Each structure stands twice: as structure tokens, then as C-alpha cells.
Amino acid sequence: VQRAIASFTGVDHRIYPVPTKINTVKVFNDAKSTNWDATLKALESVQDQGKRIYLILGGQKRGRRDSIKDFLAQFSLAHKILLIGETSEMLASELAGVVPFAEVATLDKAIHLFKAEMRPADVLLLSPAFPSFDQFKNYADRGNQFKKLVAEIL
């Protein structure tokens, strides 16, 4: 049992470390996250992994949603939020004046912005809190594309 625990590398798309060529930063794939609670847990899980956390947030709009202001007021762990997907404009209006953010629209632009701003010990976390169906087939497709882009860009 101890060997199995020691060799367990995690479950893909669930706060999973993504290798990079730049070994001074850390990247995590939590593409499975489709709600605030999951994103909060991901932020809490990586907060000791680096100095500044860049959070990729957003996706498909859905009927019910909780206020991001309430979420950030309680758990303001992100250094900067990178907004993707259909929810970008809606989230930007709520984030204005609350936390630094950038409307980047897509994963590749989010990763490029992180690369342009990153410092040693920074963290990039994909934990979108919204469904993936606006730009991807499903959360696994979103996570696989994220890993591919990280391999190409970072």
C-alpha cells in the first residue's frame, strides 16, 4: 500500500502538475473544475507552491452562478486572473477594481501572457470554475489542449 501511495502521480485534469521547459515556474492543470468550490480548493492546494498565482478562469455561461466578488473577498489568493471563454466580459465587469485581471479569451493567449509576466517561483493554474463546452469538446479536451500548449510555449 505504501508503494502504491508513494508512486501515485495524481489524476489527470485534477490539480495535476504539468511539466515545463522553464523549471523556475510551476503549472497545474485543473481543467475538471467547473464550480467555485473546486477552483477554491485548487487555489488553496497550490498557494504554497510559488510566490504569485496566475489563475485561468472562465468558460461556458450557465444559468446559475455565484458572485465572483464574494468568492474573491473570502479567498483572494490569485495574483492575476486570466479570463477565457464566454464568461470573460461578465467576469471582467465583476472583477474591475477588485483584483488584477486580463481578458485573454483563449488558453494560448493566457499562457503567452503568463510567460511575458512570469517571475521565478510563479504558478500558472488552470482551474476555470465554468464548463468547457464554449471552446472545447469537454473538460478532458480543455485539459489536453492546455498541456499541449504549455509544452509548446513554456
Side-chain angles (χ1 to χ4, degrees):
V1 170
Q2 186 59 43
R3 268 189 304 226
I5 292 171
S7 65
F8 182 68
T9 58
V11 179
D12 215 10
H13 314 305
R14 290 164 184 87
I15 316 175
Y16 190 84
V18 179
T20 67
K21 295 175 281 243
I22 303 169
N23 60 8
T24 60
V25 297
K26 293 185 180 178
V27 177
F28 295 91
N29 176 355
D30 188 36
K32 178 86 167 108
S33 163
T34 59
N35 62 65
W36 293 128
D37 289 334
T39 297
L40 170 62
K41 291 300 178 199
L43 279 167
E44 290 174 343
S45 295
V46 303
Q47 70 179 343
D48 295 331
Q49 297 292 317
K51 292 183 179 175
R52 304 182 313 167
I53 300 170
Y54 284 73
L55 171 64
I56 300 174
L57 183 71
Q60 181 185 37
K61 291 181 183 177
R62 58 177 164 219
R64 182 189 169 275
R65 69 174 176 83
D66 299 321
S67 169
I68 191 170
K69 285 184 181 178
D70 295 340
F71 173 77
L72 290 172
Q74 272 187 298
F75 307 102
S76 186
L77 300 174
H79 170 73
K80 189 170 197 174
I81 297 179
L82 310 176
L83 299 174
I84 64 169
E86 288 178 358
T87 57
S88 289
E89 187 177 322
M90 170 191 71
L91 293 172
S93 69
E94 288 196 40
L95 290 171
V98 178
V99 66
F101 69 92
E103 291 184 74
V104 293
T106 62
L107 285 178
D108 64 323
K109 290 178 183 173
I111 297 166
H112 278 290
L113 180 64
F114 174 73
K115 184 176 183 181
E117 295 184 4
M118 70 183 183
R119 296 181 190 161
D122 280 354
V123 172
L124 178 62
L125 170 64
L126 169 64
S127 189
F130 288 88
S132 57
F133 303 114
D134 59 330
Q135 296 179 338
F136 309 96
K137 293 178 201 168
N138 53 40
Y139 79 87
D141 180 40
R142 174 168 60 190
N144 289 333
Q145 287 192 41
F146 178 69
K147 289 189 304 184
K148 180 179 179 251
L149 289 165
V150 166
E152 292 170 4
I153 300 167
L154 299 176

